[in-house]
Amino acid sequence: MNTMTSRIWSWLVLLVAIIYFGLPLLGTFEFSLRMLRGTYSFEAYRVVLADPQFQATFGYSLLMACATIVMGVVLVVPTAYWVRLKLPHWRPIIEFITLLPLVIPAIVIVFGYIRLYNTSSWLPLTGTAWSTDLLMVCGYTTLALPYLYRAVDTGLRSLDIATLTEAAESLGASKFTLIWRIILPNVSVAILSGAFLTFAIVIGEFVLAALLNRPAFGPYMQLMGANRAYEPAALAVIAFALTWLCMGLIQLVNRRQRHLAVPQHR
Amino acid sequence: MNTMTSRIWSWLVLLVAIIYFGLPLLGTFEFSLRMLRGTYSFEAYRVVLADPQFQATFGYSLLMACATIVMGVVLVVPTAYWVRLKLPHWRPIIEFITLLPLVIPAIVIVFGYIRLYNTSSWLPLTGTAWSTDLLMVCGYTTLALPYLYRAVDTGLRSLDIATLTEAAESLGASKFTLIWRIILPNVSVAILSGAFLTFAIVIGEFVLAALLNRPAFGPYMQLMGANRAYEPAALAVIAFALTWLCMGLIQLVNRRQRHLAVPQHR
Amino acid sequence: MAFLELEHLHKHYATQTVVQDFNLNVEQGEFISFLGPSGCGKTTVLRMIAGFETPSAGQIRIDGHDVVRLKPNQRNIGMVFQSYALFPNLTVAQNIGFGLSVARQPKTQIKQTVQEMLALIKLADLGERYPFQLSGGQQQRVALARALAIQPKVLLLDEPLSALDAKIRVALREDIRAIQRSLGITTIFVTHDQEEALSISDRIVVMNQGHIEQVDTPLAIYNQPSTRFVASFVGALNILNATVSAPEQGMLQIENQTLQLQQPLPHPMGTTIQLALRPEALSLTPKENTDQTLVGQVQQVQFLGSVLRVQLKAGAQNLVLDQFNQPQLIPIQVGQTLKVYFASNQVLLLGAG
Amino acid sequence: MAFLELEHLHKHYATQTVVQDFNLNVEQGEFISFLGPSGCGKTTVLRMIAGFETPSAGQIRIDGHDVVRLKPNQRNIGMVFQSYALFPNLTVAQNIGFGLSVARQPKTQIKQTVQEMLALIKLADLGERYPFQLSGGQQQRVALARALAIQPKVLLLDEPLSALDAKIRVALREDIRAIQRSLGITTIFVTHDQEEALSISDRIVVMNQGHIEQVDTPLAIYNQPSTRFVASFVGALNILNATVSAPEQGMLQIENQTLQLQQPLPHPMGTTIQLALRPEALSLTPKENTDQTLVGQVQQVQFLGSVLRVQLKAGAQNLVLDQFNQPQLIPIQVGQTLKVYFASNQVLLLGAG
C-alpha cells in the first residue's frame, strides 16, 4: 500500500496530539520555571517538594491508592471472570454499572454516603478516622471501578476462559486455584494498567477527600492552586512525570509478557 | 456446573452494586422529594425545570455536546481504523495519548489553552464568543477522547479490518468509501455508546466552562449546589434518569444490530 | 460389568433435546470414537462424562462408581480440547505438572512424572518453552501429556486434531493411538471426520440428532452399515433406484439394465428400492468376483492424486467410480460409454425408497 | 503473449526473501493452482497480483498492461478470501452489488447483475439475508459472486475452502470449477491441500521456500514429479534405499531382495540410490504389469474407509501399501509375511541419497 498516505496520517495524528496535549503541557512547564524573576529555575519544584504538607498528603493519598487498588482487584477479577464464564448475558448490565461513576457526579455519591453513614446513622462510619478512611477507599473503588473492570475484562478477552476453566477442573483444580494460578497471572498486565489509572484518579481526587475532611493530596493541590501561582504548575508537571514513569513500567512488563501475544499469520 | 454457586455470586454482585450505587442514589432521591415541609412532592423538580437559566444552560451544553461528538467521531473513527490497519505497533502510544486526559487534570489543559490562545496571543481564540466555543469544543473533545477512542477501537476489534479493506479495494472502493459505507455502519453502536459518555461528560463539566466563562450547565449546577438545598438533588436525579434513557436506547440499537454477534459454538 | 457405563443418558435444554437414551458400555483399555455431524450431541455426551454438563436423566458409572453427582475436579478424568487450552503463563513442564501440583504431590515426584510424559510425547527438550513458542501439533501433544500426567481413569479427546494441518493430523492420530495402547487407558475420541474414526478406533459410535445409529467396529460400520444414515455418512456412496423384477431370483432393473443379486429380495415385483454401492467397489476391468455390470456414459473425470474419480450417468442415475491412479492407464474421455464391473455381494440394500 | 504474465518477481522484507525469481505465464481462461506448504510464498505472489503487496522487483502484466504501479482498486481483479470477508452490515444482495455500486452503475443494472449472480451460486432466494444468517459454505459462495459481479479480468482465490467442513469443501470446489469454466475467467487458486489442487486445476504451480519447484498438469505433477520436494509433498510416498548391483541391466538390491527396472541406471555399481513408490502402486495380488516383487512383514493395518493401509517392513525399510477395502478380503494379521507386487515403470528414481 501507499506508504506516503500512511506517513501523512501518522504525522497528522502526532500533530493533533501535540496541539491538544503537548502545547498546554509545555506552557505549564515553562510557567513553572519562572518562579524566580527574570531567570528559569526549578525553584518552584524545590519549594513544593520540601513542603512537609506535600509529603504528608502525598503519602496519605499513596496509601489510599494502594488500598483502593487491592480492594478493586479483589472485587473485579473474580467478578469479571465469573461474568465472562457464567453470565455472558449480564455483561451489558455489569458494563453499565461500571460506567455509572462516570455519569453520576462524585458529589452525589459522597452526598449519599454522608447521609447514610453519618454519626447518627445505623452504621456510623464517619465517626472515627480509620472508618472514614474505609469509607473513602470504598468511594475511590467506586470511582476506579470502570477503568479497572474494563482493563481486566479486556485482558480476559484474549483468554479462552471457558476452556481453560474446564481444563483446570479436569486436572482437579478448584475455581480458587484457577483464578489464583492461571487467571490472575494472565491478566496481570491489564491489572497493572488499571491500577495505574486508579492511582492517578485517587491522587488527583478532591471532592471525596474534602467532604470527608481527610488530609489527602487533592485538597492540598486545590489549596496551592488557590493561593500560589507557580507551585501548582510544578505540581501538574510532577504528576505528569509520575504518569510517564508508570507508563514506562507498564510497557516494560508488557514486553516481558509476550507469551500473551496473538500468533501472527502471513 | 453448580448453579447454586452461580446464584450466590449473582446476588453478591447485585448486593455490591446496590450498596455502592443504589443506596446513595435512593438517599438523594428521597431528599429531593422533601422540598415542601412534611410531605413528599416533586416541587424541587418543578422549580428546576421551570427555571429559564436551567433551560438556557442545558440547551447550550446540549449543543456543545453534539458538536463535541461530531468532532470526536470525525477525528477518532479514521484514526482508530488507520492505527488498527497500518500502525499496530503504534497502538500502545495512541492508547497512552487517549488516556492522558484522565491523568492530566482538566485544569492543566485549560490553563495551557488560556495562555496559548488568549486575546494577546498569535491565535486569539478567546476573543469572541464563537471562537471561545470552538476552543471549548476542542477541550471537550480532549476530555471525551479516551472514552470515544476506546469504544470505537473495541467496536473495530470484532471486524477483520485488514481483510475487509482488501475486499473493498479489490472491488474498486477507495478508503473513504470503505470508511463511510462499511466501517462507520459497523461501529455505529460503539460510536453511540461513546457518544453517550461524551454527552454525560460535557453536560456535567465545570472547570472548562467556568474558566472560559461560558453559560454552560456545569457552572449552573455548581451555582445551584452552593445556594440551594433540594434543587441539586433533583438535578442529580434528572441526570441519572437521562442516563438510563440513553442506555435504554443503546440497548435497543444493540439488539437490532445482532448481525455483529459472534457465532456460537457448542 | 464394563469399565465405563452410560445408561439411558438424556440431555435437553429448555427448547431442544440434544441427547436421547444414550446407552454404551466401554471396556477397560478400549478406544471408542463418537462420530457424527456437528450438532449430533457427541460432544454433549463427552462433556457429561467429564462433568461439564449435567445429564437431564440417566447414569454414568466409572469402574462401578456413579459419578453423576461428582464435580469435574473430583472425577479424575483426563480431557484434551480442540483448542489445546494450555495455560499460557506456564511453561510446558509446568503445564504438564499442573494437575500433580494441584494434588500436592512432592516436587521430585512431579519432576519425574513430567520427564516421563515429555519423553512419551517426544518433546523431552521443550519443557522450558512456553506454549506460544510451540507449533499447534506440539501444543496438542503437551495437552495430551498434561491430561495423562494425572493418571486419569478415562481419557476424553474432544476433536483434538481439528485445528491441525492434514499431515500433522495423520501423524498425531497415530501417536495418540500408540500412546493409548502402551498405557492401556480407556479412551473416548470425539470427531466428525470419518477417516479419523475408522483408522483409530476399536469401536465407533455413530450418532445422529442425539441418538446412537450404530455401535460397531470400523470394518463393520463401513461394510455393514445398519441404517441409511450410517451408510451415507461414513464413506462415499452411490445410491441407485432399482425396480424389483423377480424377487426370488434377486433380479432387479436399473434403467433397463438387469442385475442379479445372490439373495432373494423381500419386496414384491415392481417395487422401487434403493441400492447403494461404494465408489471403490466399482471397477472398469473385470475381477474374479465381479459378477455384475452396468453401462454408463462418462460425465467427468477427476484426478485426486492416488485416486482417479470417474463420474458416469446410467440413464438418469449418477454413478461415481474410484480407481487408483496408474500412469499407464488409457485416458478416459468425457462422453465415452464404459462398462462398470462389481460384485453382487458388495451391493447394500437400503430398502424401498 | 499470455494473458497474465509474471516475470522475475521478487519479494523480500527487511530480513528475509519470501519470493524469488517467480516466472509464470497464464493463458486466458486457465485455472492455475499455487500449491505449497505454509510460508512458501504462494499467498505473497497472489497478493502481489492483487496489488496488496508491492514486488521488490519484477513485472506483472495483465492483458499486456503492466499493473505493478496500479493501486488494488484500479486493477479490476476479483478476490476471494479464506475468511469470506463479507461486509457484515450489508445484505447478501448489497454485498454482491457493492463493486457495481462503487463504480456508480445504474440501479436497475446492478439489480439485474445481482440476480444473475445469485442464480449462478444457487442462492437466488437469499438475497435479503445478512451474512451472519448464512452457513460458511453459503458465505463463501456469496464472496465468490461478489468478486465475479465486477467482471474482473482475473479471479484470485486465497485458500477459499480452508475454513469449511470436508464435505462442503468438496462440493464447493466442484461448483467453483464449474462456474469458472462457464464464465471462462482466468483464475488463480492458492491452496496447501494437494487433493484440492490436483482435482480442480488445469495446471499446478508447486512452490517451496519462495521459488517454483514445478509447473505442470496435475497428472504430470503426480506421476512425473521433477524434484524430490514435489514427489514427497504431492501424495504419499515410500522412499527406499537401494544399492545398484548391475547398472546396465537396471538391477538393484533392497535388503537382499533383487529388483530389475526396465531401464539402465546412471549410477556406478555399489552406489546407494533412493527409489520412490506410491502406496497405491503396490498390490498384494499380481496384476498384468506387475513385474517386480518385494517381501515384507506386516507392522500395522489401518482401515481408512475406502482404503486399507498396510504398513510393512522389508528389513530395516518401511513400506506402506494402499488397497481398496473389499468385504471379502482375507484379514491381514500383524506379523504376517506378505509379498508385494508392483510395476517397474511405477518406480520413481530420486537419485543418489
Side-chain angles (χ1 to χ4, degrees), chain A residues 50-68:
Chain A
D51 185 354
Q53 273 292 99
F54 168 82
Q55 292 160 9
T57 56
F58 193 77
Y60 176 80
S61 283
L62 211 64
L63 209 71
M64 288 291 109
C66 293
T68 305

Side-chain angles (χ1 to χ4, degrees), chain C residues 167 173-174 198-199 218-219 222-223 232-233 280 289 302-306 322 324-328 346, chain D residues 167 173-174 195 198-199 218 222-223 232-233 280 289 302-306 322 324-328 346:
Chain C
K167 295 219 168 187
R173 87 178 174 215
E174 290 177 10
L198 291 170
S199 65
L219 267 167
Y222 192 83
N223 292 331
S232 59
F233 186 76
E280 73 272 14
N289 56 353
Q302 273 185 304
F303 179 55
L304 306 179
S306 62
D322 280 356
F324 279 134
N325 161 52
Q326 292 188 305
Q328 70 275 22
Q346 294 214 17
Chain D
K167 296 220 164 183
R173 88 179 175 215
E174 291 177 9
E195 186 189 301
L198 291 170
S199 65
Y222 193 85
N223 291 331
S232 59
F233 186 76
E280 73 272 13
N289 56 354
Q302 273 184 305
F303 178 54
L304 307 179
S306 60
D322 279 356
F324 279 134
N325 161 52
Q326 291 189 305
Q328 69 276 21
Q346 295 214 17

Side-chain angles (χ1 to χ4, degrees), chain C residues 228 239-244 252 266-268 270-276 317 348-353:
Chain C
R228 186 179 295 212
I239 294 183
L240 298 169
N241 291 316
T243 310
V244 177
L252 293 159
H267 301 280
T271 323
T272 300
I273 64 168
Q274 290 195 320
L275 308 180
Q317 305 204 37
L348 301 171
L349 290 175
L350 299 180

Side-chain angles (χ1 to χ4, degrees), chain C residues 181-202:
Chain C
R181 274 221 181 86
S182 73
L183 300 180
I185 187 168
T186 312
T187 302
I188 295 180
F189 182 94
V190 163
T191 183
H192 63 265
D193 181 342
Q194 44 125 341
E195 186 187 302
E196 228 164 77
L198 291 170
S199 65
I200 207 174
S201 319
D202 289 320

Side-chain angles (χ1 to χ4, degrees), chain A residues 175-254:
Chain A
K175 283 277 185 337
F176 177 80
T177 309
L178 171 74
I179 291 181
W180 182 248
R181 291 182 53 179
I182 307 296
I183 303 297
L184 211 58
N186 275 303
V187 294
S188 59
V189 176
I191 290 176
L192 248 177
S193 82
F196 146 71
L197 279 174
T198 306
F199 178 80
I201 289 162
V202 171
I203 291 291
E205 205 282 332
F206 167 71
V207 180
L208 209 61
L211 287 191
L212 289 175
N213 199 23
R214 299 299 299 153
F217 190 61
Y220 169 76
M221 280 234 287
Q222 211 73 13
L223 197 76
M224 292 290 271
N227 301 319
R228 308 288 182 92
Y230 301 100
E231 286 88 339
L235 276 174
V237 171
I238 291 173
F240 185 72
L242 266 176
T243 304
W244 270 102
L245 197 76
C246 289
M247 283 306 287
L249 285 176
I250 289 177
Q251 289 298 321
L252 238 152
V253 177
N254 250 324

Side-chain angles (χ1 to χ4, degrees), chain B residues 49-215:
Chain B
L49 294 174
D51 187 351
Q53 272 291 98
F54 168 82
Q55 291 160 12
T57 55
F58 193 78
Y60 176 81
S61 283
L62 210 65
L63 208 73
M64 287 291 110
C66 292
T68 304
I69 289 165
V70 170
M71 185 162 175
V73 168
V74 167
L75 267 177
V76 159
V77 174
T79 307
Y81 164 75
W82 201 262
V83 169
R84 277 215 167 247
L85 184 67
K86 290 285 162 187
L87 314 166
H89 50 288
W90 273 51
R91 282 194 63 220
I93 299 169
I94 299 275
E95 205 146 276
F96 172 64
I97 290 176
T98 63
L99 285 179
L100 277 183
L102 291 176
V103 178
I104 308 177
I107 192 130
V108 175
I109 296 175
V110 179
F111 188 85
Y113 278 172
I114 293 178
R115 285 190 52 79
L116 278 170
Y117 306 118
N118 63 25
T119 41
S120 59
S121 75
W122 56 277
L123 188 63
L125 279 180
T126 54
T128 62
W130 75 264
S131 61
T132 312
D133 286 350
L134 181 68
L135 193 60
M136 207 149 92
V137 168
C138 289
Y140 284 156
T141 311
T142 313
L143 292 179
L145 221 56
Y147 311 108
L148 212 50
Y149 190 89
R150 295 222 143 181
V152 170
D153 197 52
T154 307
L156 287 178
R157 193 197 308 260
S158 66
L159 296 177
D160 182 356
I161 291 293
T163 315
L164 286 181
T165 301
E166 292 180 354
E169 282 187 325
S170 76
L171 294 168
S174 65
K175 282 279 187 331
F176 177 80
T177 309
L178 170 74
I179 291 180
W180 182 247
R181 290 181 54 177
I182 307 298
I183 303 298
L184 211 59
N186 275 304
V187 294
S188 59
V189 176
I191 289 175
L192 248 178
S193 83
F196 147 71
L197 278 175
T198 307
F199 178 80
I201 290 162
V202 172
I203 290 291
E205 205 282 332
F206 166 72
V207 180
L208 210 62
L211 285 193
L212 289 175
N213 199 22
R214 301 296 302 152

Side-chain angles (χ1 to χ4, degrees), chain C residues 108-231:
Chain C
T108 51
Q109 171 83 54
I110 295 178
K111 206 172 165 188
Q112 194 195 324
T113 309
V114 168
Q115 281 309 320
E116 287 169 19
M117 285 297 143
L118 282 170
L120 191 69
I121 57 169
K122 301 177 205 153
L123 295 177
D125 301 335
L126 303 186
E128 295 315 306
R129 296 267 182 96
Y130 281 94
F132 78 102
Q133 296 171 311
L134 304 182
S135 71
Q138 289 174 327
Q139 287 191 49
Q140 198 58 295
R141 280 169 202 271
V142 174
L144 181 66
R146 183 179 65 175
L148 291 171
I150 57 168
Q151 296 188 290
K153 287 183 181 156
V154 179
L155 177 65
L156 305 178
L157 303 146
D158 188 6
E159 308 222 10
L161 307 173
S162 300
L164 301 171
D165 282 351
K167 295 219 168 187
I168 295 161
R169 208 182 299 170
V170 172
L172 188 50
R173 87 178 174 215
E174 290 177 10
D175 286 349
I176 288 176
R177 183 54 161 151
I179 289 172
Q180 184 269 341
R181 274 221 181 86
S182 73
L183 300 180
I185 187 168
T186 312
T187 302
I188 295 180
F189 182 94
V190 163
T191 183
H192 63 265
D193 181 342
Q194 44 125 341
E195 186 187 302
E196 228 164 77
L198 291 170
S199 65
I200 207 174
S201 319
D202 289 320
R203 283 191 298 157
I204 296 175
V205 179
V206 182
M207 289 184 68
N208 183 31
Q209 298 186 332
H211 66 266
I212 294 180
E213 291 269 344
Q214 188 172 2
V215 182
D216 221 325
T217 63
L219 267 167
I221 293 278
Y222 192 83
N223 292 331
Q224 292 116 34
S226 66
T227 70
R228 186 179 295 212
F229 174 83
V230 175

